[in-house]
Amino acid sequence: MIKIAPSLLSADFANMGEATSRLSDWGSDMVHFDVMDGTFVPAITFGPAMCKAIRAYTKLPIDVHIMVEHPETYIEQFKDAGADYLTFHVEADRHAHRTLQAIRKAGMKAGIALNPATPVEMVEYVLSICDLVLVMSVNPGAGGQSFIKEVLPKVEKLKALREKNGYNYEIEMDGGINEATSKLAAASGADILVSGNAVFKADDPKEMIAKMHLAKK
């Protein structure tokens, strides 16, 4: 089954511990944790201190997505905060290969993210040391946006490159993921789906996650 990573960006900010603890009961596979610095993207959200705080509320892997300038400066902070995955944007880093190496050396899984307008070619030469490649299906910076279907060929290309070269990275999609778009993402080859509003605002989040788990069938 495909993995589902609910995004805490859509949770109740006043009750983050409770929101995080519910994810296991709902059948989630990971916790997606969005970090925004107000520079790379307009909004400001969470940081390492919040990550460390929610770590106590779940045994699920914490999938940290940093939408920040100078991502290399955050590696040790998120390692100490208990992150399992650390994904940064290729558009924000002149030395992506070095940053990926540093994340792995710190003991986390290393991911690289692509904005909707960024081609796969921007990361093709670092794929051998990626544990995860995140394809943004909205423009980063805010929840509740509509799915950009034009990015689906990027997922297909990443899947083909993985098979051709024997790479091991997972392919993640983030943005506008709901019951309908999860099927499009899964059909293109995504392994992990990040979903915020569709999960946290569902009448029955457990049922919604169960439906998304079946998107690949």
Side-chain angles (χ1 to χ4, degrees):
M1 289 192 299
I2 204 160
K3 295 179 182 179
I4 307 301
S7 171
L8 292 176
L9 190 61
S10 296
D12 179 359
F13 285 12
N15 296 285
M16 293 296 282
E18 181 182 352
T20 303
S21 65
R22 288 177 178 174
L23 295 181
S24 291
D25 294 336
W26 291 349
S28 308
D29 302 285
M30 306 166 76
V31 179
H32 192 76
F33 188 84
D34 287 306
V35 178
M36 305 180 192
D37 66 354
T39 302
F40 182 72
V41 292
I44 297 174
T45 55
F46 321 121
M50 177 67 81
C51 183
K52 186 174 183 178
I54 68 162
R55 177 74 279 178
Y57 288 87
T58 185
K59 294 182 179 180
L60 293 175
I62 298 180
D63 172 30
V64 175
H65 173 202
I66 53 174
M67 291 162 270
V68 302
E69 299 287 352
H70 307 294
E72 72 283 356
T73 64
Y74 290 81
I75 295 171
E76 290 300 317
Q77 296 178 63
F78 278 104
K79 170 193 172 183
D80 294 342
D84 297 284
Y85 290 74
L86 187 62
T87 298
F88 65 96
H89 276 260
V90 66
E91 303 90 355
D93 196 332
R94 297 177 182 176
H95 303 286
H97 190 279
R98 184 169 64 195
T99 301
L100 288 163
Q101 288 180 315
I103 293 170
R104 288 180 131 189
K105 186 176 180 180
M108 295 176 286
K109 291 189 176 181
I112 200 158
L114 298 167
N115 282 337
T118 302
V120 170
E121 285 76 12
M122 284 285 289
V123 299
E124 188 168 354
Y125 296 101
V126 297
L127 291 175
S128 63
I129 59 169
C130 288
D131 298 299
L132 182 146
V133 182
L134 169 56
V135 176
M136 293 299 299
S137 42
V138 298
N139 290 296
Q145 299 181 63
S146 298
F147 185 82
I148 301 172
K149 68 180 188 309
E150 287 80 6
V151 304
L152 290 169
K154 292 199 285 188
V155 178
E156 295 169 358
K157 184 166 186 175
L158 285 164
K159 182 181 178 182
L161 285 168
R162 181 175 62 188
E163 293 174 355
K164 177 183 176 181
N165 296 291
Y167 296 149
N168 296 312
Y169 55 80
E170 295 176 285
I171 304 169
E172 184 174 68
M173 288 203 81
D174 180 2
I177 300 292
N178 54 39
E179 184 179 354
T181 57
S182 66
K183 296 175 182 177
L184 297 176
S188 295
D191 307 298
I192 304 170
L193 301 180
V194 177
S195 182
N197 286 349
V199 170
F200 281 99
K201 299 186 186 308
D203 292 334
D204 186 339
K206 185 174 183 178
E207 181 182 6
M208 177 58 66
I209 289 172
K211 288 178 179 178
M212 290 185 183
H213 269 142
L214 299 174
K216 215 160 192 172
K217 288 194 174 182

Short mmCIF file of all heavy atoms in Angstrom, two decimals, residues 33-34 53 60 66-67 73-74 122 126 130 142-143 152 157-158 181-183 186 194 200-201 212:
data_model
loop_
_atom_site.label_atom_id
_atom_site.label_comp_id
_atom_site.label_asym_id
_atom_site.label_seq_id
_atom_site.Cartn_x
_atom_site.Cartn_y
_atom_site.Cartn_z
N PHE A 33 5.88 17.24 8.70
CA PHE A 33 6.12 18.42 9.53
C PHE A 33 6.72 19.52 8.65
O PHE A 33 7.88 19.43 8.22
CB PHE A 33 7.10 18.04 10.65
CG PHE A 33 7.30 19.08 11.70
CD1 PHE A 33 6.44 19.20 12.77
CD2 PHE A 33 8.39 19.94 11.64
CE1 PHE A 33 6.65 20.16 13.76
CE2 PHE A 33 8.61 20.89 12.61
CZ PHE A 33 7.73 21.01 13.68
N ASP A 34 5.92 20.54 8.34
CA ASP A 34 6.33 21.60 7.42
C ASP A 34 6.98 22.76 8.16
O ASP A 34 6.41 23.33 9.09
CB ASP A 34 5.11 22.13 6.66
CG ASP A 34 4.61 21.16 5.62
OD1 ASP A 34 5.42 20.73 4.78
OD2 ASP A 34 3.42 20.81 5.64
N ALA A 53 9.03 18.74 20.57
CA ALA A 53 7.87 18.62 21.44
C ALA A 53 6.93 17.52 20.98
O ALA A 53 6.42 16.74 21.80
CB ALA A 53 7.13 19.96 21.51
N LEU A 60 5.68 7.19 15.22
CA LEU A 60 5.75 7.22 13.76
C LEU A 60 6.97 8.02 13.30
O LEU A 60 7.43 8.93 14.00
CB LEU A 60 4.49 7.88 13.18
CG LEU A 60 3.16 7.14 13.35
CD1 LEU A 60 2.02 8.01 12.82
CD2 LEU A 60 3.19 5.80 12.63
N ILE A 66 11.69 21.12 5.08
CA ILE A 66 12.11 22.49 5.38
C ILE A 66 12.07 23.36 4.12
O ILE A 66 12.80 23.13 3.17
CB ILE A 66 13.50 22.54 6.06
CG1 ILE A 66 14.57 21.77 5.28
CG2 ILE A 66 13.40 22.00 7.48
CD1 ILE A 66 15.96 21.92 5.87
N MET A 67 11.20 24.33 4.15
CA MET A 67 11.07 25.31 3.07
C MET A 67 11.78 26.57 3.54
O MET A 67 11.16 27.55 3.97
CB MET A 67 9.59 25.56 2.76
CG MET A 67 8.91 24.36 2.13
SD MET A 67 7.09 24.42 2.22
CE MET A 67 6.84 23.56 3.78
N THR A 73 22.03 24.73 7.58
CA THR A 73 22.18 25.20 8.96
C THR A 73 21.19 24.55 9.92
O THR A 73 21.29 24.73 11.14
CB THR A 73 22.02 26.73 9.04
OG1 THR A 73 20.69 27.09 8.64
CG2 THR A 73 23.03 27.43 8.12
N TYR A 74 20.22 23.81 9.39
CA TYR A 74 19.19 23.21 10.22
C TYR A 74 19.43 21.74 10.53
O TYR A 74 18.67 21.13 11.28
CB TYR A 74 17.82 23.34 9.53
CG TYR A 74 17.28 24.75 9.48
CD1 TYR A 74 17.72 25.64 8.51
CD2 TYR A 74 16.32 25.17 10.39
CE1 TYR A 74 17.22 26.94 8.45
CE2 TYR A 74 15.81 26.46 10.34
CZ TYR A 74 16.28 27.34 9.37
OH TYR A 74 15.79 28.62 9.32
N MET A 122 17.11 19.06 -12.41
CA MET A 122 17.80 19.81 -11.36
C MET A 122 18.36 18.91 -10.27
O MET A 122 19.27 19.29 -9.54
CB MET A 122 16.86 20.85 -10.75
CG MET A 122 16.63 22.06 -11.62
SD MET A 122 18.05 23.19 -11.64
CE MET A 122 17.98 23.86 -9.97
N VAL A 126 22.03 13.95 -8.22
CA VAL A 126 22.17 13.64 -6.80
C VAL A 126 21.23 12.51 -6.36
O VAL A 126 21.19 12.15 -5.19
CB VAL A 126 21.94 14.88 -5.90
CG1 VAL A 126 22.98 15.94 -6.19
CG2 VAL A 126 20.53 15.44 -6.07
N CYS A 130 19.91 10.12 -2.56
CA CYS A 130 18.63 10.53 -2.00
C CYS A 130 17.89 9.34 -1.42
O CYS A 130 17.86 8.26 -2.02
CB CYS A 130 17.74 11.18 -3.07
SG CYS A 130 18.26 12.82 -3.60
N ALA A 142 1.67 27.42 1.74
CA ALA A 142 0.33 27.49 2.35
C ALA A 142 -0.43 26.21 2.07
O ALA A 142 -0.26 25.58 1.02
CB ALA A 142 -0.45 28.68 1.80
N GLY A 143 -1.26 25.82 3.03
CA GLY A 143 -2.13 24.67 2.85
C GLY A 143 -3.39 25.05 2.10
O GLY A 143 -3.67 26.23 1.88
N LEU A 152 2.59 15.68 -12.64
CA LEU A 152 2.57 14.21 -12.60
C LEU A 152 3.64 13.56 -13.47
O LEU A 152 4.23 12.54 -13.06
CB LEU A 152 1.18 13.70 -13.00
CG LEU A 152 0.07 13.97 -11.97
CD1 LEU A 152 -1.29 13.66 -12.55
CD2 LEU A 152 0.30 13.15 -10.70
N LYS A 157 8.84 10.27 -14.36
CA LYS A 157 10.26 10.31 -14.73
C LYS A 157 11.14 9.84 -13.58
O LYS A 157 12.11 9.09 -13.78
CB LYS A 157 10.66 11.71 -15.17
CG LYS A 157 12.09 11.80 -15.67
CD LYS A 157 12.36 13.10 -16.40
CE LYS A 157 13.75 13.08 -17.01
NZ LYS A 157 14.02 14.27 -17.84
N LEU A 158 10.82 10.27 -12.38
CA LEU A 158 11.59 9.83 -11.21
C LEU A 158 11.49 8.33 -11.01
O LEU A 158 12.47 7.67 -10.64
CB LEU A 158 11.12 10.57 -9.97
CG LEU A 158 11.55 12.03 -9.87
CD1 LEU A 158 10.72 12.77 -8.83
CD2 LEU A 158 13.04 12.12 -9.53
N THR A 181 -7.32 12.96 -6.00
CA THR A 181 -5.97 13.22 -6.53
C THR A 181 -4.96 12.18 -6.05
O THR A 181 -3.93 11.98 -6.69
CB THR A 181 -5.49 14.63 -6.17
OG1 THR A 181 -5.52 14.80 -4.74
CG2 THR A 181 -6.37 15.68 -6.82
N SER A 182 -5.26 11.51 -4.93
CA SER A 182 -4.35 10.45 -4.48
C SER A 182 -4.26 9.34 -5.52
O SER A 182 -3.19 8.73 -5.70
CB SER A 182 -4.83 9.87 -3.14
OG SER A 182 -6.06 9.20 -3.26
N LYS A 183 -5.33 9.11 -6.23
CA LYS A 183 -5.32 8.07 -7.27
C LYS A 183 -4.44 8.48 -8.44
O LYS A 183 -3.73 7.66 -9.02
CB LYS A 183 -6.75 7.79 -7.74
CG LYS A 183 -7.64 7.21 -6.65
CD LYS A 183 -9.07 7.06 -7.10
CE LYS A 183 -9.94 6.53 -5.97
NZ LYS A 183 -11.37 6.42 -6.37
N ALA A 186 -0.77 8.18 -7.19
CA ALA A 186 -0.36 6.78 -7.09
C ALA A 186 -0.17 6.15 -8.46
O ALA A 186 0.78 5.39 -8.68
CB ALA A 186 -1.40 6.00 -6.29
N VAL A 194 1.43 13.16 0.98
CA VAL A 194 1.22 14.11 2.07
C VAL A 194 -0.16 14.73 1.91
O VAL A 194 -0.50 15.23 0.84
CB VAL A 194 2.29 15.21 2.05
CG1 VAL A 194 2.03 16.24 3.15
CG2 VAL A 194 3.69 14.61 2.20
N PHE A 200 -7.32 16.08 8.08
CA PHE A 200 -7.68 16.71 9.34
C PHE A 200 -9.08 17.32 9.32
O PHE A 200 -9.68 17.49 10.38
CB PHE A 200 -6.65 17.77 9.72
CG PHE A 200 -5.40 17.20 10.32
CD1 PHE A 200 -4.26 17.02 9.56
CD2 PHE A 200 -5.37 16.82 11.65
CE1 PHE A 200 -3.11 16.48 10.12
CE2 PHE A 200 -4.24 16.29 12.23
CZ PHE A 200 -3.10 16.11 11.46
N LYS A 201 -9.60 17.64 8.16
CA LYS A 201 -10.94 18.23 8.09
C LYS A 201 -12.00 17.22 7.65
O LYS A 201 -13.17 17.58 7.42
CB LYS A 201 -10.93 19.45 7.16
CG LYS A 201 -9.99 20.55 7.65
CD LYS A 201 -10.09 21.80 6.82
CE LYS A 201 -9.06 22.84 7.23
NZ LYS A 201 -9.04 23.16 8.66
N MET A 212 -7.18 6.43 0.95
CA MET A 212 -5.95 6.83 0.27
C MET A 212 -4.93 5.69 0.21
O MET A 212 -4.18 5.56 -0.75
CB MET A 212 -5.35 8.05 0.96
CG MET A 212 -6.13 9.31 0.79
SD MET A 212 -5.25 10.72 1.54
CE MET A 212 -6.44 12.03 1.28
#
